[in-house]
Structure formats: structure tokens, C-alpha cells
Amino acid sequence: MKENYQLSREEAVNRLQTSFSGLKSEVIPALQKKYGENLLREAKQKSKFSIFLGQFNDVMIIILIIAAVISFIVGEHTDAIVIMAIIIGNAWMGYSQESKAEASIKMLKKMAAQFALVLRDGKPVKLDAAKLYPGDVILLEAGSIVPADARLIEISSFKTDEASLTGESHSIEKITDAIAADNLVPGDQRNMVFKGTIVSNGSAKAVITATGMDTEIGKIAELMDTGFQKTPLQKRLAVFSKQLAVIVIIICVLVFVLGLQRGTPAFQMFLTALSLAVAALPEALPAVITIALARSAGRMVKQKALIRKLPAVETLGSVTYICTDKTGTLTQNIMTVEKLQSADNKDELLNYAMLLNNEVKFSDKDELLGDSTETALVNYSINQGYKKVDADEKYSLVATLPFDSERMRMSTLHNSEGKWIMFTKGAPAKVAEILSAKDKSSAKGWLDTNKEWAANGLRVLFFAYRIFEQQPTKAELSLENDMDFLGMAGMIDPPREEVADAIQQCKTAGIKTVMITGDQALTAKAIGQRLGITDNNGTAMTGTELQKLSEEELQSEAEKVFVYARVSPEQKLNIVKALQHNGEFVAMTGDGVNDAPSLKQADIGLAMGITGTDVAKEASDMILMDDNFATIVKAVKEGRRIYENIRKFILYVLSCNLSEILTLLIAPLLGFAIPLLPIHILWINLVTDGLPGIALVAEPAEKGIMQQPPRPPKENLFAGGLAKKIILSGIVLTLAAIFIQWWAVGQGYDVNTQQTMVFTTLCFVQLANALSSRSFHHSLFAKGIFYNKTMWMAIFVTIILQLLLLYVPFLHPVFKTTSLGLGSMNMILLVAIVSLLLLEVIKFINNKVRLN
């Protein structure tokens, strides 16, 4: 069956069982029952309660809940309250982030027209747009929002702005004739108008072909239900939590069984096993990561990148492909005259023609209002020193022959010092055919130049003129003949100056850039070559070519093609899916409604802050406040920095937790008392881990971070020898704690004093570990020991808090501590300094091995 755009006006009206004067009132009830209201269906959304419950769907959280319940049952109420406070605080942060309702489809509804002018029973009536049905005949004029998809049946100088739907960077001149071609994307269906687009010029009558979810914008709404996408960090942490849970359970069961075999009372061994569980779990990890991402998001706002979803900060660091729109992101979104060539000695006259042959208006602030192509021509002449006032005075307007899509020309007739001159501009071939005999002979050379310019992505217009000795009796189309060639102008939406450098930085960082646009193939290819996205031999794949590919063929081609043109929203979505199927991690930029489905599907969606529609912004993870591709590169660097810093925190926190576990295991085997109580471990894991941890994730980026390839999306958290570093660091801290307990036993101290000394030692040596963890490879002293002032503040506050636990008497029963003498404190400080030096020596040796 033919598509609506392939039908003649009469065939379209007949298919829809209507007439050129609109529907009859008596058929409306039946149509209402058949089609329903002209509204977009809202997606089913999670309840707030289910979002809250979802925050507890994590292995680490479940283990903490069990530990809290058991602690409460056995009388360790302080421990239980602290653990539950951590769980609830973390759940609240996650809930607050996720409970922002997905409002994309609501925004789509807002874009649709609220009212429409419709012919019913042959009379124009204003109706709620929701009450329109296929077969209704609508009347459109400049400024109208199109209320439904419709086939044009009458037009007068009619243009629409479809940028938000198709990505086309200029207004589209519409026609009423049938189009024979098959499988055209919406942007090429020039006899159709689409719901949500805007009439930019002229007037029209159209018969509605689709309403509600059957419209092009409705199909986009359906595509937007892409499901929840986990970020790389969320995936890695989920795997890490499960692995840690298994290890914790095995250790606890093993210790409990071994204790019973040695004759230790079951209750005491249960408390020891509980202490181990608390020691093994990094309680501060979720909070520290959330705080780190929030602070990083704050830094990115200063760089014109607004983060809507916190995990997106880190996601940027994994990106292997950036799929970007052209208009406004890679380009300036301002049509500009790039080349101008006039006939011999006709430069001045050509500039006057550019100033006068148009429908451009000037605002109160002298801003140019009108079609982007015409404003580019006017702006060029003004910049050359010509003034509109002078032009109007020298060539006063007498009549206008408006542009139409059949002859593809516009003419204006002017009076100049007793003579009459007609200026004509239009499509090169259409202007060439009305030239005088003497100029037609040289027209081939001009047309060849046109082909050369068009191949470079320029939109070319020819200009011609004709002088009349007497005023024509009537302004009519027959005057457009026997004209003299005046010149030609080539226009393009030029690339942003900083984008080429940003794309080169992406290449250096191992990130590939792909342009996906609704614009013409030649224009897309030219911009792609200028920016270095593709080489001079590169081609642009069109939507028509894409439609012929199978899913497997697209997955194969997606690795080779870097410029796509004239693509539909569904094809954009399929390109993203193909790259993801190939194991790529995809960022997608966009500003229009047509971009919303692919923004949601992409691993990270980047919407435009200035030109972006509300729909695109709501579907995105991040908003580029300056609409600039170069901002993405800055955001990628920040994403890589934050991920590396989170890994530093994991090195720090897990090596500390390992030292607590080993201390708890080894001390009893050596005949010592249990060295740490659950409340001590909780304090260390929250305060000693938490405060320096927050400072650690604020570390500046390591040198050369953008010269490294993207990390593989499936790479685990412990890649690059992190597990070995954790074990070696954990052993150093354990030796420090065991040494202190051995020394305390030798000094004859009681169990409470021994536990307080081990507790304080672990606190201090872990602060030393935080300093060492600031860099994986560089020495603490080489990196700048005082560079991270936040770290030193955290260390200072942690030491003060630890000393309060030791020397404020009313805190002793709560935290089960006692005051320590000067000799004990001196020994603890000495051990902490030696531990720091050992950690730095291990780092130095590891670095030597890595480089060799």
C-alpha cells in the first residue's frame, strides 16, 4: 500500500473518507471510538514506595541489615543503631536521586498544539487539539504548532521548522504534489507536516493522516521506553558487593567453627564473627561515592556541564564512542555566507540584491528575523558596510514575486532613479534557465562552480537581475526571463572553532566521534571532513541506505561509518544499539525530540542546554549548558579523574578493612585478647575511612589521563594490579597493629588498654595509608605532599575526634576506650611513620616492576 506522501491530494482525501471541506459532524462519534483522543500515552512509572524499596536491593546493604538485627538481639544496641543509620541515610540519598519522575513524555505532550483551527461541516472552528481525528482538515499559518501528522492539500509560501523532529538546520519549503520515492524519512516527505513542528512561514490547508501515538512524535514516545541502563560503576560495584559478601560469609563461618574447636564459648565467638563481618564491609563506601560524584558534578557545572543523574559523572570516563548531532553542537547553528562570487564589476549590485531580495525583518534591537538562509545573506552585506536604509532609499520596493517550490525562485521589483530593476535569487539550475542568451553561454562555468561548492557542503544560490526602462504594468512571473547573471553565494552552518581540537583530543584519548544528523549527506560529509571526523575518502551513510541493512549488517557497518545523514529517530536508536552490541560504551548528544529515544538508550545521554527541547533534556543524563562539543571532552576528563579517585578510595578502604580482619584473626592465634570490638571497627570504617576517603576522591587528575585509552566497560574494579596493592598495604597495617598489641602485652597493660591502643594505632596508620593512596604510581613527596588541603583537614579532624574518644571520660563507656599515657602515644606515632615509609617503598618497587 502506498504511503500518504505518495498519494495525490485527491487520493489522500479519498483514502481518509473525507472531503476538501473537512469532516461532517455526524461521523465524529465513530471516529472518536475508533482512534481515541489525539494525545500521547504516558509511560507507566514506578511508585515512590517501590523506588524506596529498590534502594535495599543490594547484597552489601542486606548483609548490613542482618548485622544490625543480630547486633540488636545480642545487646550491642549502639552498633545496631549506627549501622541502621548508615543504611537509611544511604537509601535516602539513592531515593532522592531516583524519585525524580521521568517526565519526557509529559514534555512531548506540552510540545503538541493545545488548540487547532479545523474545517467541520465546511466551516472553520477552533477545537481542542485532542479532539482531532484522521480525515479532519486543518488550517495552518505562521506561528502555528502542527496538531497532528497531515498531508498538505493547499499551500501559500509555506515553510515549517522541523529541527526538533528531523535535525534539519533550516526551514523546509513544502509542496503539495505526490512524491514517488519509497521509504522516505520524515525529513524528505515534503508534502507532509508533523505533529509538534512549527509553521515558520505562509499558510496551508492539510488533511490529518495520523493522531496520538500513530504520529511520528508518538512513535518516538514509544521508542523512549528503553528500560533502565546501569552505569559501569554500578555494574562493577554490584559484582564487587557479591564477591565481598561471599568472602565475608566464608570468613565468619570459618572463624566461628575454628573458635568452637579451640573451646572458646559460642557467644564470644559469635561476637568475634560479627566483628569480622562489620570489619570486612566498607560501610562508608556508598556514602563516599555519592558525595564524590556530587562534588564532581558541582565542578562540572563550572565547566558548563550540568549533571542530571549522579552516576553519569563517572560513566563519562568509560566512553568509547561519542555520537553527536551536527547542528549547534559541532557547528555554530548560524547559516553564514562562506563564499561569494559576483559577475564582472557587479559586486556592489550583488550586495544590494542580497539586502533587498528577501522577507527579512529587523526587530526593535536590530536583530534579523526570518529564514536562516536569507538572514545570512543580509548579515553578510551589512558586514561588508552596506546599510538596509541606504538600499531601500536607492532601490525602493515596488512589488514581490514570492518564492514557491515549483519555480524555486523569488523576485523583487524596485524603482531606481526613473528605471525599474528586478532582482531574482533561487536554485542555481532554476535561475540559469531564465538568463539572457548572452549569459546562458557562460552559465555552464557558473553551474560547474556550483557543483564544486555543493560538494563541499555549501548551500548555493544564484542571483540575476533585469532592468526595465518603463515600469511593468503588472508584477507577474513572465518578467522572470532574459535576465543578466549577477553572482552566486555559498552558505553553510560553519563548524565551531574549538571543536576540531576537541575531536583530536578524543582521538588521542581513544574515543571515536560519529556524526548523526538529519541534514543533507553532502553537508554532513563536508563538516565531517573539516572537523577530522572522517578523511577525504570518507562517505556519509544515508537513512535510505541504513533502511536496507539487516541488524547484523548494521552492527558490522557501525564500526566503519563515522558520518550518517538524513536518518530517522528509530535509525539513530538502532545505530546506538548496534555500537552497544559491539561492546562499545556510547555517549549520545542531541537537542530535538528526534534525539530523545537514542539519548535514553545511550550509556550516557547529553542534551543541549540552549537549543535543546525539554523532551531531550528530560531524557538525558547530562546537559551541555553551552551546546558545545568541546565541553564533552572536559567532562570525559572529569569522568576519568573521578573513576581513578574512586579506585584510590577502594584501595584505601579495602586495605584498611583487610588489616582489621587480619588483626582480628591473627591476634587470638598468637594468644592475645580480641584486639578490637565491633564499635571500634564501626568508628574506623565510618570516621577514619570516611573523612580521608572524601578527601581522597577530590584528588586532581593524574598527568596524561587523556592520553590513555578508555578503560574497557567490562573491566573490573581491581584491574591493573589493584588487588595486589590492597593485600600488601593491608599486611603493613596489620603488622603495625599486631606489633602494638605485642608491645602493650609486654608492658603489662590490661585488655581494655590493649584494645584502645590497637584501635588508635589502626586509626593513625590508616591515615598514613590515605596519604600514600593519593597516587597509584607517584611518590607522596613527588606529587606534592600538601597539594590536597582537604586531605590534611580530614586528617586533622580525624585525629582530634580520636583523641576525644581517648581523653573525654564520658565517651569511654560508649566507645569502650580508656586514656593512654605519653609513652603509648609516642610508640603509636612511631609505628604510623614507619608504616607510611613502608607503604611508599612498596609503591616504588611496584612502579619499577610495572615500567620494566
Side-chain angles (χ1 to χ4, degrees):
M1 190 171 73
K2 286 184 176 180
E3 298 290 340
N4 287 310
Y5 68 82
Q6 295 175 310
L7 303 175
S8 68
R9 293 177 296 172
E10 293 76 14
E11 287 172 334
V13 168
N14 291 336
R15 174 185 282 184
L16 293 160
Q17 298 178 348
T18 184
S19 69
F20 285 91
S21 57
L23 292 170
K24 301 282 186 184
S25 297
E26 57 263 26
V27 303
I28 299 302
L31 291 172
Q32 186 175 16
K33 189 175 180 181
K34 182 178 180 181
Y35 294 107
E37 291 194 317
N38 179 29
L39 295 172
L40 299 180
R41 187 171 59 245
E42 288 192 42
K44 187 178 178 182
Q45 295 183 353
K46 281 184 179 180
S47 70
K48 291 191 174 182
F49 183 66
S50 64
I51 291 172
F52 185 71
L53 285 182
Q55 306 309 312
F56 300 94
N57 186 23
D58 181 270
V59 177
M60 193 184 298
I61 298 295
I62 291 167
I63 292 173
L64 280 173
I65 291 171
I66 293 168
V69 170
I70 294 171
S71 295
F72 195 82
I73 292 168
V74 300
E76 297 288 341
H77 294 165
T78 305
D79 295 5
I81 292 167
V82 172
I83 294 172
M84 286 309 299
I86 296 162
I87 293 166
I88 292 168
N90 188 66
W92 178 254
M93 282 191 283
Y95 169 78
S96 300
Q97 203 60 37
E98 198 177 327
S99 63
K100 293 176 181 176
E102 291 288 347
S104 301
I105 300 200
K106 290 181 183 177
M107 292 299 175
L108 280 165
K109 287 178 71 177
K110 286 182 183 177
M111 284 192 64
Q114 301 299 309
F115 294 95
L117 198 59
V118 192
L119 289 179
R120 287 272 174 93
D121 300 316
K123 298 175 183 177
V125 291
K126 190 176 183 180
L127 290 179
D128 184 336
K131 306 298 182 185
L132 299 180
Y133 308 99
D136 262 322
V137 173
I138 52 175
L139 304 175
L140 300 169
E141 58 186 20
S144 299
I145 298 177
V146 179
D149 289 4
R151 170 70 164 85
L152 291 164
I153 52 179
E154 288 180 22
I155 58 171
S156 175
S157 301
F158 189 68
K159 295 181 182 180
T160 58
D161 179 356
E162 298 178 355
S164 65
L165 182 68
T166 66
E168 192 78 50
S169 55
H170 51 79
S171 296
I172 308 301
E173 180 78 24
K174 291 295 183 177
I175 61 174
T176 56
D177 295 338
I179 302 172
D182 293 322
N183 302 321
L184 291 184
V185 295
D188 290 331
Q189 296 174 23
R190 293 181 54 220
N191 55 13
M192 298 285 294
V193 288
F194 302 101
K195 183 178 176 74
T197 58
I198 299 167
V199 179
S200 59
N201 192 72
S203 59
K205 184 189 285 187
V207 59
I208 291 177
T209 57
T211 57
M213 295 300 288
D214 295 325
T215 61
E216 290 299 322
I217 204 173
K219 292 172 187 174
I220 291 171
E222 285 184 336
L223 290 173
M224 288 175 70
D225 186 17
T226 56
F228 175 69
Q229 302 279 333
K230 276 193 172 183
T231 71
L233 185 62
Q234 287 171 327
K235 292 173 185 174
R236 291 178 178 115
L237 287 175
V239 171
F240 167 62
S241 294
K242 288 173 185 173
Q243 292 171 339
L244 188 61
V246 172
I247 294 167
V248 168
I249 291 167
I250 291 171
I251 290 173
C252 291
V253 170
L254 190 64
V255 169
F256 186 74
V257 172
L258 287 173
L260 291 179
Q261 287 178 347
R262 290 177 57 211
T264 310
F267 182 71
Q268 186 180 343
M269 284 316 303
F270 181 79
L271 285 179
T272 304
L274 181 63
S275 298
L276 279 169
V278 173
L281 292 170
E283 289 87 352
L285 182 61
V288 168
I289 287 177
T290 303
I291 292 166
L293 294 175
R295 288 177 63 176
S296 189
R299 280 191 295 273
M300 290 171 79
V301 167
K302 294 175 184 175
Q303 297 178 351
K304 305 296 183 185
L306 177 65
I307 299 296
R308 290 189 65 250
K309 297 169 186 174
L310 274 187
V313 177
E314 176 276 332
T315 307
L316 283 158
S318 293
V319 165
T320 58
Y321 265 78
I322 298 175
C323 295
T324 176
D325 192 20
K326 174 185 71 70
T327 307
T329 312
L330 299 176
T331 64
Q332 298 174 24
N333 199 21
I334 302 170
M335 286 297 282
T336 305
V337 176
E338 191 167 272
K339 289 188 176 182
L340 191 74
Q341 200 165 324
S342 62
D344 291 341
N345 303 315
K346 294 290 189 294
D347 190 62
E348 182 180 279
L349 193 60
L350 176 58
N351 273 283
Y352 278 128
M354 289 163 63
L355 267 176
L356 296 166
N357 182 263
N358 56 67
E359 295 180 354
V360 173
K361 301 287 187 290
F362 286 77
S363 71
D364 296 339
K365 299 177 181 178
D366 283 337
E367 293 172 337
L368 300 180
L369 306 175
D371 180 80
S372 58
T373 301
E374 293 190 332
T375 57
L377 295 168
V378 173
N379 193 54
Y380 180 87
S381 291
I382 290 172
N383 289 337
Q384 295 302 305
Y386 296 91
K387 294 181 180 178
K388 182 72 163 64
V389 176
D390 295 342
D392 287 336
E393 191 176 314
K394 188 169 184 178
Y395 299 98
S396 57
L397 181 66
V398 175
T400 299
L401 296 174
F403 182 95
D404 69 54
S405 54
E406 189 173 332
R407 67 187 223 287
M408 299 181 75
R409 295 187 295 267
M410 175 185 179
S411 294
T412 51
L413 183 65
H414 304 265
N415 184 350
S416 177
E417 299 174 355
K419 293 184 179 182
W420 285 263
I421 185 168
M422 177 174 275
F423 293 123
T424 299
K425 78 167 185 292
K430 294 293 185 179
V431 172
E433 66 187 25
I434 59 170
L435 293 177
S436 61
K438 68 180 180 64
D439 275 10
K440 272 187 179 175
S441 59
S442 58
K444 186 180 182 303
W446 294 102
L447 288 170
D448 287 342
T449 305
N450 161 54
K451 287 178 184 176
E452 183 185 317
W453 288 11
N456 289 323
L458 299 183
R459 190 178 186 206
V460 184
L461 291 177
F462 274 14
F463 288 81
Y465 74 103
R466 180 181 176 185
I467 295 175
F468 302 89
E469 294 297 329
Q470 294 183 339
Q471 181 176 1
T473 55
K474 186 180 179 184
E476 54 190 4
L477 299 182
S478 61
L479 298 177
E480 290 180 342
N481 69 81
D482 199 31
M483 303 193 82
D484 294 329
F485 187 76
L486 185 54
M488 59 193 290
M491 288 156 288
I492 198 168
D493 177 11
R496 289 175 178 265
E497 291 179 8
E498 64 277 20
V499 167
D501 182 54
I503 288 172
Q504 187 55 47
Q505 285 183 51
C506 284
K507 286 184 177 178
T508 305
I511 301 167
K512 295 176 181 175
T513 305
V514 176
M515 183 201 299
I516 306 177
T517 179
D519 220 331
Q520 299 292 340
L522 277 174
T523 306
K525 180 183 172 184
I527 294 293
Q529 288 174 348
R530 289 192 193 192
L531 292 173
I533 293 173
T534 182
D535 57 29
N536 292 334
N537 299 320
T539 58
M541 181 175 280
T542 64
T544 306
E545 293 168 325
L546 270 173
Q547 205 157 12
K548 297 173 185 175
L549 299 180
S550 67
E551 191 174 322
E552 292 75 20
E553 287 171 331
L554 176 56
Q555 287 162 5
S556 172
E557 288 296 314
E559 296 284 355
K560 307 169 194 170
V561 179
F562 297 99
V563 177
Y564 296 89
R566 307 301 282 170
V567 295
S568 69
E570 188 171 1
Q571 288 171 335
K572 283 189 178 187
L573 185 63
N574 290 337
I575 292 166
V576 173
K577 286 181 176 177
L579 288 168
Q580 289 174 327
H581 179 271
N582 294 343
E584 305 295 349
F585 210 80
V586 184
M588 173 78 192
T589 76
D591 57 1
V593 180
N594 60 322
D595 298 317
S598 41
L599 285 172
K600 282 198 76 176
Q601 174 65 37
D603 298 291
I604 179 163
L606 312 170
M608 302 299 112
I610 299 171
T611 59
T613 59
D614 287 339
V615 184
K617 290 174 186 175
E618 286 298 324
S620 69
D621 303 292
M622 187 178 99
I623 297 171
L624 301 177
M625 293 158 70
D626 58 357
D627 287 14
N628 196 334
F629 183 88
T631 302
I632 302 173
V633 180
K634 297 175 188 173
V636 168
K637 183 177 180 181
E638 180 65 22
R640 291 187 173 191
R641 185 192 73 84
I642 200 66
Y643 179 72
E644 283 303 295
N645 286 351
I646 287 171
R647 273 170 44 91
K648 289 172 187 175
F649 173 68
I650 287 171
L651 164 62
Y652 167 62
V653 77
L654 290 190
S655 58
C656 292
N657 287 18
L658 178 62
S659 70
E660 294 159 25
I661 294 168
L662 292 176
T663 302
L664 282 166
L665 286 173
I666 293 169
L669 293 176
L670 296 176
F672 300 150
I674 292 175
L676 292 165
L677 298 175
I679 191 66
H680 298 154
I681 297 166
L682 270 176
W683 175 267
I684 292 170
N685 286 3
L686 289 173
V687 179
T688 311
D689 288 355
L691 293 178
I694 292 168
L696 201 56
V697 292
E699 277 291 314
E702 300 264 5
K703 288 180 181 177
I705 199 167
M706 288 299 284
Q707 275 72 55
Q708 300 168 9
R711 59 183 178 275
K714 293 183 180 178
E715 177 185 281
N716 68 43
L717 279 168
F718 302 100
L722 188 61
K724 185 174 79 171
K725 293 185 180 91
I726 289 168
I727 292 168
L728 291 172
S729 299
I731 290 170
V732 170
L733 305 187
T734 303
L735 290 173
I738 293 296
F739 172 81
I740 282 293
Q741 188 166 12
W742 170 80
W743 184 84
V745 170
Q747 297 297 311
Y749 294 142
D750 60 24
V751 172
N752 190 17
T753 305
Q754 291 175 36
Q755 289 173 340
T756 303
M757 288 187 70
V758 172
F759 174 34
T760 306
T761 300
L762 279 174
C763 173
F764 283 22
V765 294
Q766 288 185 10
L767 293 177
N769 189 24
L771 284 172
S772 181
S773 299
R774 287 180 55 205
S775 174
F776 287 126
H777 309 299
H778 303 295
S779 164
L780 165 66
F781 307 101
K783 190 172 170 69
I785 192 166
F786 296 110
Y787 190 77
N788 188 343
K789 293 181 176 63
T790 311
M791 175 65 77
W792 285 103
M793 180 62 71
I795 289 172
F796 177 75
V797 171
T798 304
I799 290 171
I800 294 297
L801 291 174
Q802 185 68 24
L803 294 177
L804 290 175
L805 299 191
L806 301 186
Y807 300 109
V808 176
F810 74 82
L811 293 176
H812 290 173
V814 178
F815 289 94
K816 300 177 177 64
T817 55
T818 187
S819 299
L820 296 178
L822 185 60
S824 299
M825 288 303 298
N826 285 339
M827 181 56 72
I828 290 170
L829 285 172
L830 178 63
V831 167
I833 292 167
V834 171
S835 298
L836 176 59
L837 294 174
L838 278 174
L839 290 168
E840 287 297 294
V841 168
I842 290 170
K843 188 196 298 184
F844 176 78
I845 294 168
N846 278 337
N847 205 30
K848 284 285 185 186
V849 172
R850 181 180 67 89
L851 294 174
N852 292 334

